[in-house]
Amino acid sequence: MTVTLNRIAQEGEHGSAMMPIMQGVGRAAIEIAYLLRSAVFRGALGAAGGQNVQGEQQQKLDVLSDEIFLDEMRSTGHVCAVGSEEQEELLVIEEYTSAPYLVLVDPLDGSSNLDVDGPVGTIFSIVKRKTPSDQRPDVSDTLQSGREVLAAGYVLYGPATMLVCSVGAGVSGYTYNANNARFEVSHLDMKIPQSGGYYSVNESNSAQWLHGMADKLVSVRHTQKLGMRYIGAMVADMHRTIIKGGVFLYPADSTNVTGKLRLLYEAIPMGFIMEQAGGKAHTGEIPVLDVQPEALHQRVPVYLGAHNAVDGLIN
Ligand code: AHG
Ligand code: MN
Ligand code: MN
């Protein structure tokens, strides 16, 4: 029998509560995958003309993916608000302000790859609200550390569309099967190999890296015999790192002293997945999941990968 996303309901303490939201993520993923495939025919490639809160050029597909994701979260009936990389403020779902969960999302990750038909992704995490259900949810509900995350994951829009997720009981990968329109389990209990693999970083920034990072990376890549791969889309680079081993990093540099990647939309969900896959997720100072968020769009340096590879860079 085909094993689908419904399997999540049997996993861990929170699986059954998370399953309807994961199904919503799955529906959003199918719609976004279709949008990406057909964008060139619909005039949906290129800049949207606006900037997001971080001052980055929004692509039309960033905006459309954000709309799709929000709509699917609304349709679950279990989500009271969504924090999105593409929205300055928390988006409260007015029909369900008393629902128990909030979702944080980077709806389209790696959007600089869109012009070159390269892989992109969606990253998300799910937390339980802190405010009482008879109050309107607010930003304080989103400012929870990775230790409080109930579930997280990513969608990779590659040759196949994959949903990789965890409810805190290991990591599973589901691949979209267009023949039956379902996500079928394809990767059980994903674990990062603890040796070999690749280092993955935008090395063109190495002259600006802080804390002797360039020298540490040379040493780690020699002692651990790592190859090099960099796609420039965190989802694709992380997915390869989990499957092949090694380390993905986006360190602080002299212009981005707090790093580039966003704590709530990128670092925490990917840190959650990396730890659940038996790897390590660190900021260079503390584990990513121990960082107490202070703002929705906060950034943080990240080192995600096999223990030895991460340790060689942060010590
Ligand atoms: P986004 O497209 O959501 O803004 O994210 C881009 C991120 C991430 O996907 C990737 O790891 C990183 O930016 C690449 O940055 P550089 O182009 O500086 O290497
Ligand atoms: Mn991103
Ligand atoms: Mn994005």
Side-chain angles (χ1 to χ4, degrees), residues 150-189:
L150 301 179
Y154 59 81
V155 182
L156 174 58
Y157 308 100
T161 297
M162 276 196 73
L163 171 50
V164 173
C165 59
S166 173
V167 292
V171 180
S172 305
Y174 299 83
T175 301
Y176 180 63
N177 183 347
N179 292 322
N180 58 15
R182 305 184 94 173
F183 279 93
E184 295 186 19
V185 72
S186 53
H187 295 60
L188 282 170
D189 196 20

Coordinates of all heavy atoms in Angstrom, one line a residue, residues 150-189:
L150 N 7.6 22.5 17.1 CA 7.0 21.2 17.1 C 7.3 20.4 15.9 O 7.3 19.1 15.9 CB 5.4 21.3 17.3 CG 4.9 22.1 18.5 CD1 3.4 22.2 18.4 CD2 5.4 21.4 19.8
A151 N 7.4 21.1 14.8 CA 7.6 20.4 13.5 C 8.3 21.4 12.6 O 8.1 22.6 12.7 CB 6.3 19.9 12.9
A152 N 9.1 20.9 11.6 CA 9.7 21.7 10.6 C 10.0 20.9 9.4 O 10.0 19.7 9.4 CB 11.0 22.4 11.2
G153 N 10.4 21.6 8.3 CA 10.8 20.9 7.1 C 11.0 21.8 6.0 O 11.1 23.1 6.1
Y154 N 11.2 21.2 4.8 CA 11.4 22.0 3.6 C 10.9 21.2 2.4 O 10.7 20.0 2.5 CB 12.9 22.3 3.4 CG 13.9 21.1 3.3 CD1 14.0 20.4 2.1 CD2 14.6 20.7 4.4 CE1 14.9 19.3 2.0 CE2 15.5 19.6 4.3 CZ 15.6 18.9 3.1 OH 16.4 17.9 3.0
V155 N 10.6 22.0 1.4 CA 10.2 21.4 0.1 C 11.3 21.7 -0.9 O 11.7 22.9 -0.9 CB 8.9 22.0 -0.4 CG1 8.5 21.3 -1.7 CG2 7.8 21.8 0.6
L156 N 11.8 20.7 -1.6 CA 12.8 21.0 -2.7 C 12.1 20.8 -4.0 O 11.6 19.7 -4.3 CB 13.9 20.0 -2.5 CG 15.0 20.0 -3.6 CD1 15.7 21.4 -3.8 CD2 16.1 19.0 -3.3
Y157 N 12.1 21.9 -4.8 CA 11.6 21.9 -6.2 C 12.8 21.6 -7.1 O 13.4 22.5 -7.6 CB 10.9 23.2 -6.5 CG 9.9 23.6 -5.5 CD1 10.2 24.6 -4.5 CD2 8.6 23.0 -5.5 CE1 9.2 24.9 -3.6 CE2 7.7 23.4 -4.5 CZ 8.0 24.3 -3.6 OH 7.1 24.7 -2.6
G158 N 13.1 20.3 -7.3 CA 14.2 19.9 -8.1 C 13.5 19.1 -9.3 O 12.4 19.3 -9.6
P159 N 14.3 18.1 -9.9 CA 13.7 17.3 -10.9 C 12.5 16.6 -10.4 O 11.5 16.4 -11.1 CB 14.9 16.3 -11.1 CG 16.1 17.0 -10.8 CD 15.7 17.9 -9.7
A160 N 12.5 16.2 -9.1 CA 11.2 15.8 -8.4 C 10.9 16.8 -7.3 O 11.8 17.5 -6.8 CB 11.4 14.4 -7.8
T161 N 9.7 16.9 -6.9 CA 9.3 17.8 -5.7 C 9.3 16.9 -4.5 O 8.6 15.9 -4.5 CB 7.9 18.4 -6.0 OG1 8.0 19.3 -7.1 CG2 7.5 19.2 -4.8
M162 N 10.1 17.3 -3.5 CA 10.2 16.5 -2.3 C 9.9 17.3 -1.1 O 10.3 18.5 -1.0 CB 11.7 16.0 -2.1 CG 12.1 14.8 -2.8 SD 13.6 14.1 -2.1 CE 13.0 13.5 -0.5
L163 N 9.2 16.7 -0.1 CA 8.9 17.3 1.2 C 9.6 16.5 2.2 O 9.4 15.3 2.4 CB 7.4 17.3 1.4 CG 6.8 17.6 2.8 CD1 7.4 19.0 3.3 CD2 5.3 17.7 2.8
V164 N 10.6 17.2 2.9 CA 11.4 16.5 3.9 C 11.0 17.2 5.2 O 11.0 18.4 5.3 CB 12.9 16.7 3.6 CG1 13.7 16.2 4.8 CG2 13.3 16.0 2.3
C165 N 10.6 16.4 6.2 CA 10.0 17.0 7.4 C 10.3 16.1 8.7 O 10.6 15.0 8.6 CB 8.5 17.3 7.2 SG 7.6 15.8 6.9
S166 N 10.0 16.8 9.8 CA 10.2 16.1 11.1 C 9.2 16.7 12.1 O 9.0 17.9 12.1 CB 11.6 16.3 11.6 OG 11.7 15.8 12.9
V167 N 8.6 15.8 12.9 CA 7.8 16.2 14.0 C 8.5 15.9 15.3 O 7.9 15.7 16.3 CB 6.4 15.5 14.0 CG1 5.6 16.0 12.8 CG2 6.5 14.0 14.0
G168 N 9.9 15.9 15.2 CA 10.7 15.6 16.4 C 10.9 14.2 16.7 O 11.4 13.8 17.8
A169 N 10.7 13.3 15.7 CA 10.9 11.9 15.8 C 11.7 11.4 14.6 O 11.3 10.4 14.0 CB 9.6 11.1 16.0
G170 N 12.8 12.0 14.3 CA 13.5 11.7 13.1 C 13.0 12.4 11.9 O 12.1 13.2 11.9
V171 N 13.7 12.2 10.7 CA 13.4 13.0 9.5 C 13.0 12.0 8.4 O 13.6 10.9 8.2 CB 14.6 13.7 9.0 CG1 14.3 14.5 7.7 CG2 15.2 14.7 10.1
S172 N 11.9 12.3 7.7 CA 11.4 11.5 6.6 C 11.3 12.4 5.4 O 11.0 13.5 5.4 CB 10.0 10.9 6.9 OG 10.1 10.2 8.1
G173 N 11.5 11.7 4.2 CA 11.4 12.4 2.9 C 10.2 11.8 2.1 O 10.1 10.6 2.0
Y174 N 9.4 12.7 1.6 CA 8.3 12.2 0.8 C 8.4 12.9 -0.6 O 8.8 14.0 -0.8 CB 6.9 12.7 1.4 CG 6.7 12.2 2.7 CD1 7.3 12.8 3.9 CD2 5.9 11.1 2.9 CE1 7.0 12.3 5.1 CE2 5.6 10.6 4.2 CZ 6.2 11.2 5.3 OH 6.0 10.7 6.6
T175 N 8.2 12.1 -1.7 CA 8.3 12.6 -3.0 C 7.0 12.6 -3.7 O 6.2 11.7 -3.5 CB 9.3 11.6 -3.8 OG1 10.6 11.6 -3.2 CG2 9.5 12.1 -5.3
Y176 N 6.7 13.7 -4.4 CA 5.4 13.9 -5.0 C 5.3 13.0 -6.2 O 6.1 13.0 -7.1 CB 5.2 15.4 -5.5 CG 3.9 15.6 -6.1 CD1 2.7 15.4 -5.4 CD2 3.8 16.0 -7.4 CE1 1.5 15.6 -6.0 CE2 2.6 16.2 -8.0 CZ 1.4 16.0 -7.3 OH 0.2 16.2 -7.9
N177 N 4.2 12.2 -6.2 CA 4.0 11.3 -7.3 C 2.8 11.9 -8.1 O 1.6 11.8 -7.7 CB 3.6 9.9 -6.8 CG 3.4 8.9 -7.9 OD1 3.2 9.3 -9.1 ND2 3.3 7.6 -7.6
A178 N 3.1 12.4 -9.3 CA 2.0 13.1 -10.1 C 1.0 12.1 -10.6 O -0.1 12.5 -11.0 CB 2.7 13.9 -11.3
N179 N 1.3 10.8 -10.6 CA 0.3 9.8 -11.1 C -0.8 9.7 -10.2 O -1.9 9.3 -10.6 CB 1.0 8.5 -11.3 CG 2.0 8.6 -12.5 OD1 1.7 9.2 -13.5 ND2 3.1 7.9 -12.4
N180 N -0.6 9.8 -8.9 CA -1.7 9.7 -8.0 C -1.9 11.0 -7.1 O -2.7 11.1 -6.2 CB -1.6 8.5 -7.0 CG -0.3 8.6 -6.2 OD1 0.4 9.6 -6.1 ND2 0.1 7.4 -5.7
A181 N -1.1 12.1 -7.5 CA -1.2 13.4 -6.8 C -1.0 13.3 -5.3 O -1.7 14.0 -4.5 CB -2.6 14.0 -7.2
R182 N -0.1 12.4 -4.9 CA 0.2 12.3 -3.5 C 1.7 12.3 -3.2 O 2.5 12.0 -4.1 CB -0.4 10.9 -2.9 CG -1.8 10.8 -3.2 CD -2.4 9.5 -2.7 NE -2.9 9.8 -1.4 CZ -3.6 8.9 -0.6 NH1 -3.7 7.6 -1.1 NH2 -4.1 9.2 0.5
F183 N 2.0 12.8 -2.0 CA 3.4 12.6 -1.5 C 3.6 11.2 -1.0 O 2.9 10.9 0.0 CB 3.7 13.7 -0.5 CG 4.0 15.0 -1.1 CD1 3.0 16.0 -1.2 CD2 5.3 15.3 -1.5 CE1 3.3 17.2 -1.8 CE2 5.6 16.6 -2.0 CZ 4.6 17.5 -2.2
E184 N 4.5 10.5 -1.5 CA 4.7 9.1 -1.0 C 6.1 9.1 -0.3 O 7.0 9.7 -0.8 CB 4.8 8.1 -2.2 CG 3.4 8.0 -2.9 CD 3.4 7.0 -4.0 OE1 4.3 6.1 -4.0 OE2 2.5 7.0 -4.8
V185 N 6.1 8.3 0.8 CA 7.4 8.2 1.5 C 8.4 7.6 0.6 O 8.2 6.6 0.0 CB 7.2 7.5 2.9 CG1 7.0 6.0 2.7 CG2 8.3 7.7 3.8
S186 N 9.6 8.2 0.5 CA 10.7 7.8 -0.3 C 12.0 7.7 0.4 O 12.9 6.9 0.0 CB 10.8 8.7 -1.6 OG 11.0 10.0 -1.1
H187 N 12.1 8.4 1.5 CA 13.4 8.4 2.3 C 13.0 8.2 3.8 O 12.5 9.2 4.4 CB 14.1 9.8 2.1 CG 14.6 10.0 0.7 ND1 13.8 10.1 -0.4 CD2 15.9 10.2 0.2 CE1 14.5 10.3 -1.5 NE2 15.8 10.4 -1.1
L188 N 13.3 7.0 4.3 CA 12.9 6.8 5.7 C 14.1 7.1 6.6 O 15.2 6.8 6.3 CB 12.6 5.3 5.8 CG 11.2 4.9 5.3 CD1 11.1 3.4 5.3 CD2 10.1 5.5 6.2
D189 N 13.8 7.7 7.7 CA 14.8 8.0 8.8 C 16.1 8.5 8.2 O 17.1 7.8 8.4 CB 15.0 6.7 9.6 CG 15.7 7.0 10.9 OD1 15.6 8.1 11.4 OD2 16.3 6.0 11.5

